[in-house]
Amino acid sequence: MWSSGEPADSYYEVRQECTDVPKTRFKIKPGKTLSVRKWQAAFTPEGHLDISKTLGRIQRGGIHPSIRGEVWEFLLGCYDPKSTFEERDEIRQRRRVEYAKWKEECREKFPIVGSGKFITAPVITEDGQPVQEPMYLVGASNNAAAEPPKDMDAAETGETGEAGKEGEAGEACKEGEACKEGEAGEEGEAGEAGSPKVIGETVANGETQSSINIASWQMMKEIISHGPLDKKVIQWILTLHQIGLDVIRTDRTLVFYEKQENLSKLWDILAVYAWIDTDVGYCQGMSDLCSPMIILLDDEADAFWCFERLMRRLRGNFRCTESSVGVESQLSNLAAITQVIDPKLHQHLVTIEVTCLFRHCKTEALGGGDYLFAFRMLMVLFRREFSFCDSLYLWEMMWALEYDPDLFELYEEPETAEGSKGRTKSIRHYGKYERENMKSGSAAEAPLPISVFLVASVLKDKSAKLLQEARGLDDVVKILNDITGNLDAKKACTGAMKLHKKYLKKAKK
């Protein structure tokens, strides 16, 4: 039996040297948290799941870490609650075969896939030729920041000012600033004395990441010598080293990622996803979304499908054109919501009156009109604002609140699902947030995700501080960065629900 309020940190062990990692606020509470016993009791002998009771329990106290992965498969629409044990086994086996087929396709194009290794440096050019400077392959492995990624943190400011300097190298140590002394601190110059160790640098059988990069480059030279590569293959291979760079930065405070096999599993899943999703491919931030899946689900194929279902919800955020990024629509919605619920704050974020040195007053753009400071929160669902465990707790509460019993049919048979939505489902089978949308009639208009209201709730809580202290976008980012590790996931969801209700009422007027 659990003790009252048992901490859940022990399920996601942190490396000893990372002493500044925020402690989780989530506690396993008897009678509130969905336990193994309650989960098993929610199924009929045939395997039908009582989803309404399950959702209620998750909304009250989250999910016990030992069953989190299998519950997530239902929340994300991998399985229909009305299905039987036998039907789910058939679906699981079919999906594992399909994933194995895709992975084999990738391995044929690039044999490092599925080998237990990965690359952290480009091996071909954009025109499909081998890179001309193989020594760069060594440098890139010694310094994970050798080729800086298009950083989502810099996007929050649109420049590299003080707030924008916190890129991926700095972000990793926000999770645990005590990861220093050559273990997981800021990336220095490759090869310099005292330069930090990159997790995964020395891998199995005595190989180093440098040797893997060089061997991959030599392998590509051999493959290309037999004929030109297809354009799709070139574009895919060009993303593989960026996936590798992101993999060694992802959740690196966790003991789980000290094992090369786990890093490689994350890389393989992201590489396969980039291959099958030709529209979006791979973008920075996806590794943060995928990482929990492989920690929670032992089978690689099961973890892939859980990630793929999550991307069904979020891939629009990552879809880019020459003139826009998909998440911009959610940022615009955030601005519209803030304008309704806190017009004074919205006006402050859009423009600010400043007094210049020569006592001439003028109004200048604060830089917050596009709400770019919320870019990261929406892209990776608050992974950086919460501890690892609390971010999982937040996600499952969000998904339980948003739950739609038509999810499985929508993903598997979209045409059938669209015509039958809501016909035979009890209102209790929907999450609380989704029920509010149905009552207001907004469900038919592709309702906003609860994540947008979560950000709005954070802004509302920080409204006084933002109004008083924010004199530029860097100030906004700094104030919002201070919430890291200080947010309560359940209170955040409660605040989001209240704002959602308020917004629906005001929007009707």
mmCIF file with all atom_site columns, all heavy atoms in Angstrom, residues 96 163-164 230 265 355 359 422 472 491:
data_model
loop_
_atom_site.group_PDB
_atom_site.id
_atom_site.type_symbol
_atom_site.label_atom_id
_atom_site.label_alt_id
_atom_site.label_comp_id
_atom_site.label_asym_id
_atom_site.label_entity_id
_atom_site.label_seq_id
_atom_site.pdbx_PDB_ins_code
_atom_site.Cartn_x
_atom_site.Cartn_y
_atom_site.Cartn_z
_atom_site.occupancy
_atom_site.B_iso_or_equiv
_atom_site.pdbx_formal_charge
_atom_site.auth_seq_id
_atom_site.auth_comp_id
_atom_site.auth_asym_id
_atom_site.auth_atom_id
_atom_site.pdbx_PDB_model_num
ATOM 1  N N   . ARG A 1 96  ? 3.283   -3.504 -34.961 1.00 0.00 ? 96  ARG A N   1
ATOM 2  C CA  . ARG A 1 96  ? 4.703   -3.843 -34.781 1.00 0.00 ? 96  ARG A CA  1
ATOM 3  C C   . ARG A 1 96  ? 5.308   -4.308 -36.099 1.00 0.00 ? 96  ARG A C   1
ATOM 4  O O   . ARG A 1 96  ? 6.459   -3.964 -36.416 1.00 0.00 ? 96  ARG A O   1
ATOM 5  C CB  . ARG A 1 96  ? 4.848   -4.918 -33.701 1.00 0.00 ? 96  ARG A CB  1
ATOM 6  C CG  . ARG A 1 96  ? 4.616   -4.393 -32.296 1.00 0.00 ? 96  ARG A CG  1
ATOM 7  C CD  . ARG A 1 96  ? 4.719   -5.488 -31.238 1.00 0.00 ? 96  ARG A CD  1
ATOM 8  N NE  . ARG A 1 96  ? 4.553   -4.949 -29.900 1.00 0.00 ? 96  ARG A NE  1
ATOM 9  C CZ  . ARG A 1 96  ? 4.568   -5.684 -28.796 1.00 0.00 ? 96  ARG A CZ  1
ATOM 10 N NH1 . ARG A 1 96  ? 4.728   -7.010 -28.871 1.00 0.00 ? 96  ARG A NH1 1
ATOM 11 N NH2 . ARG A 1 96  ? 4.414   -5.110 -27.603 1.00 0.00 ? 96  ARG A NH2 1
ATOM 12 N N   . ALA A 1 163 ? 17.938  37.294 -23.566 1.00 0.00 ? 163 ALA A N   1
ATOM 13 C CA  . ALA A 1 163 ? 16.973  36.199 -23.405 1.00 0.00 ? 163 ALA A CA  1
ATOM 14 C C   . ALA A 1 163 ? 17.138  35.168 -24.475 1.00 0.00 ? 163 ALA A C   1
ATOM 15 O O   . ALA A 1 163 ? 16.850  34.003 -24.273 1.00 0.00 ? 163 ALA A O   1
ATOM 16 C CB  . ALA A 1 163 ? 15.551  36.749 -23.424 1.00 0.00 ? 163 ALA A CB  1
ATOM 17 N N   . GLY A 1 164 ? 17.624  35.567 -25.645 1.00 0.00 ? 164 GLY A N   1
ATOM 18 C CA  . GLY A 1 164 ? 17.744  34.634 -26.751 1.00 0.00 ? 164 GLY A CA  1
ATOM 19 C C   . GLY A 1 164 ? 18.999  33.813 -26.707 1.00 0.00 ? 164 GLY A C   1
ATOM 20 O O   . GLY A 1 164 ? 19.169  32.890 -27.482 1.00 0.00 ? 164 GLY A O   1
ATOM 21 N N   . ASP A 1 230 ? 17.725  9.312  -54.567 1.00 0.00 ? 230 ASP A N   1
ATOM 22 C CA  . ASP A 1 230 ? 16.431  9.950  -54.784 1.00 0.00 ? 230 ASP A CA  1
ATOM 23 C C   . ASP A 1 230 ? 16.342  11.194 -53.905 1.00 0.00 ? 230 ASP A C   1
ATOM 24 O O   . ASP A 1 230 ? 16.909  11.251 -52.802 1.00 0.00 ? 230 ASP A O   1
ATOM 25 C CB  . ASP A 1 230 ? 15.327  8.964  -54.408 1.00 0.00 ? 230 ASP A CB  1
ATOM 26 C CG  . ASP A 1 230 ? 13.943  9.541  -54.586 1.00 0.00 ? 230 ASP A CG  1
ATOM 27 O OD1 . ASP A 1 230 ? 13.481  9.621  -55.725 1.00 0.00 ? 230 ASP A OD1 1
ATOM 28 O OD2 . ASP A 1 230 ? 13.343  9.926  -53.559 1.00 0.00 ? 230 ASP A OD2 1
ATOM 29 N N   . LYS A 1 265 ? 17.595  4.067  -29.534 1.00 0.00 ? 265 LYS A N   1
ATOM 30 C CA  . LYS A 1 265 ? 16.166  3.789  -29.735 1.00 0.00 ? 265 LYS A CA  1
ATOM 31 C C   . LYS A 1 265 ? 15.417  5.078  -30.043 1.00 0.00 ? 265 LYS A C   1
ATOM 32 O O   . LYS A 1 265 ? 14.570  5.127  -30.944 1.00 0.00 ? 265 LYS A O   1
ATOM 33 C CB  . LYS A 1 265 ? 15.585  3.116  -28.488 1.00 0.00 ? 265 LYS A CB  1
ATOM 34 C CG  . LYS A 1 265 ? 14.145  2.640  -28.663 1.00 0.00 ? 265 LYS A CG  1
ATOM 35 C CD  . LYS A 1 265 ? 13.531  2.147  -27.347 1.00 0.00 ? 265 LYS A CD  1
ATOM 36 C CE  . LYS A 1 265 ? 14.176  0.881  -26.851 1.00 0.00 ? 265 LYS A CE  1
ATOM 37 N NZ  . LYS A 1 265 ? 13.437  0.344  -25.645 1.00 0.00 ? 265 LYS A NZ  1
ATOM 38 N N   . THR A 1 355 ? 10.037  56.245 -22.395 1.00 0.00 ? 355 THR A N   1
ATOM 39 C CA  . THR A 1 355 ? 10.606  57.591 -22.368 1.00 0.00 ? 355 THR A CA  1
ATOM 40 C C   . THR A 1 355 ? 12.041  57.513 -22.837 1.00 0.00 ? 355 THR A C   1
ATOM 41 O O   . THR A 1 355 ? 12.852  56.782 -22.282 1.00 0.00 ? 355 THR A O   1
ATOM 42 C CB  . THR A 1 355 ? 10.567  58.162 -20.937 1.00 0.00 ? 355 THR A CB  1
ATOM 43 O OG1 . THR A 1 355 ? 9.222   58.134 -20.494 1.00 0.00 ? 355 THR A OG1 1
ATOM 44 C CG2 . THR A 1 355 ? 11.083  59.585 -20.928 1.00 0.00 ? 355 THR A CG2 1
ATOM 45 N N   . ARG A 1 359 ? 13.961  62.831 -23.479 1.00 0.00 ? 359 ARG A N   1
ATOM 46 C CA  . ARG A 1 359 ? 12.650  63.159 -22.932 1.00 0.00 ? 359 ARG A CA  1
ATOM 47 C C   . ARG A 1 359 ? 11.566  63.284 -23.995 1.00 0.00 ? 359 ARG A C   1
ATOM 48 O O   . ARG A 1 359 ? 10.565  63.969 -23.781 1.00 0.00 ? 359 ARG A O   1
ATOM 49 C CB  . ARG A 1 359 ? 12.724  64.446 -22.108 1.00 0.00 ? 359 ARG A CB  1
ATOM 50 C CG  . ARG A 1 359 ? 13.633  64.303 -20.912 1.00 0.00 ? 359 ARG A CG  1
ATOM 51 C CD  . ARG A 1 359 ? 13.582  65.541 -20.064 1.00 0.00 ? 359 ARG A CD  1
ATOM 52 N NE  . ARG A 1 359 ? 14.457  65.397 -18.901 1.00 0.00 ? 359 ARG A NE  1
ATOM 53 C CZ  . ARG A 1 359 ? 14.604  66.336 -17.970 1.00 0.00 ? 359 ARG A CZ  1
ATOM 54 N NH1 . ARG A 1 359 ? 13.936  67.469 -18.051 1.00 0.00 ? 359 ARG A NH1 1
ATOM 55 N NH2 . ARG A 1 359 ? 15.416  66.138 -16.954 1.00 0.00 ? 359 ARG A NH2 1
ATOM 56 N N   . GLY A 1 422 ? -20.177 11.570 -31.815 1.00 0.00 ? 422 GLY A N   1
ATOM 57 C CA  . GLY A 1 422 ? -21.128 11.909 -30.768 1.00 0.00 ? 422 GLY A CA  1
ATOM 58 C C   . GLY A 1 422 ? -22.454 11.173 -30.827 1.00 0.00 ? 422 GLY A C   1
ATOM 59 O O   . GLY A 1 422 ? -23.298 11.344 -29.946 1.00 0.00 ? 422 GLY A O   1
ATOM 60 N N   . GLY A 1 472 ? 10.365  45.202 -22.301 1.00 0.00 ? 472 GLY A N   1
ATOM 61 C CA  . GLY A 1 472 ? 10.841  44.688 -23.581 1.00 0.00 ? 472 GLY A CA  1
ATOM 62 C C   . GLY A 1 472 ? 10.610  43.193 -23.623 1.00 0.00 ? 472 GLY A C   1
ATOM 63 O O   . GLY A 1 472 ? 10.283  42.570 -22.599 1.00 0.00 ? 472 GLY A O   1
ATOM 64 N N   . LYS A 1 491 ? -2.892  22.637 -10.631 1.00 0.00 ? 491 LYS A N   1
ATOM 65 C CA  . LYS A 1 491 ? -3.402  23.999 -10.530 1.00 0.00 ? 491 LYS A CA  1
ATOM 66 C C   . LYS A 1 491 ? -3.394  24.681 -11.891 1.00 0.00 ? 491 LYS A C   1
ATOM 67 O O   . LYS A 1 491 ? -4.283  25.476 -12.217 1.00 0.00 ? 491 LYS A O   1
ATOM 68 C CB  . LYS A 1 491 ? -2.561  24.803 -9.537  1.00 0.00 ? 491 LYS A CB  1
ATOM 69 C CG  . LYS A 1 491 ? -2.816  24.438 -8.083  1.00 0.00 ? 491 LYS A CG  1
ATOM 70 C CD  . LYS A 1 491 ? -1.956  25.272 -7.146  1.00 0.00 ? 491 LYS A CD  1
ATOM 71 C CE  . LYS A 1 491 ? -2.217  24.897 -5.687  1.00 0.00 ? 491 LYS A CE  1
ATOM 72 N NZ  . LYS A 1 491 ? -1.339  25.654 -4.755  1.00 0.00 ? 491 LYS A NZ  1
#
